[in-house]
Amino acid sequence: MKAELNYIRIAPRKMRLIADMIRRKKIDEAGTILKFSKRKGAKPLFKLLNSALANAKTNSGFDSAKLRISKLTVDEGPVFKRFMARARGTPALIRKKTSHIKMILGEK
C-alpha cells in the first residue's frame, strides 16, 4: 500500500505545498484536488496516487472507498550543480534540486 517517486526534478519546497493539500484526505478527494490544481507538481503526485491505489488493490485487495493517505513525505534528493556566467565571466552557481516522494495509504 505504498508507492515512491524518486529523483523528480521539482524542488522539495514546491512539492511540499501540494503534499500539504492532500495529506490525510480520502483517495477520491485527493484525486480531485490534484486533477484541478494548476501547480507543476500536481501531475506527478496524481500519477503516484494512482500507482499507490493500484498497489493497494492488487497486492492487498483493499477497497478504494475505505482508503486514505495516511503518510506522505517529501524529502530532498541530490542537487545538480550548474554554472552560469555573470559579470566579467565570473561563474555563478545554479542549484537544480530534486525530490523523493513516499506515499503510504491506510484505512480509516
Side-chain angles (χ1 to χ4, degrees), residues 28-101:
D28 54 348
E29 187 179 348
T32 305
I33 291 170
L34 291 174
K35 192 182 291 185
F36 293 107
S37 177
K38 292 186 178 184
R39 296 195 172 266
K40 180 183 173 184
K43 189 173 182 179
L45 259 179
F46 184 68
K47 290 176 82 172
L48 181 67
L49 179 68
N50 288 334
S51 176
L53 182 61
N55 289 342
K57 284 182 180 178
T58 58
N59 298 340
S60 303
F62 284 103
D63 184 25
S64 63
K66 296 179 181 178
L67 290 176
R68 62 175 57 228
I69 300 170
S70 64
K71 189 173 183 182
L72 179 62
T73 59
V74 179
D75 300 321
E76 292 184 18
V79 177
F80 302 135
K81 294 177 182 171
R82 303 290 183 259
F83 291 98
M84 183 178 192
R86 302 297 277 195
R88 292 200 242 158
T90 306
L93 183 65
I94 296 174
R95 304 179 74 208
K96 296 182 178 263
K97 299 178 180 180
T98 60
S99 300
H100 296 321
I101 306 166

Side-chain angles (χ1 to χ4, degrees), residues 17-36:
L17 292 173
I18 305 162
D20 291 341
M21 289 192 297
I22 64 168
R23 194 172 280 129
R24 293 184 213 85
K25 302 262 193 229
K26 291 183 179 178
I27 296 296
D28 54 348
E29 187 179 348
T32 305
I33 291 170
L34 291 174
K35 192 182 291 185
F36 293 107

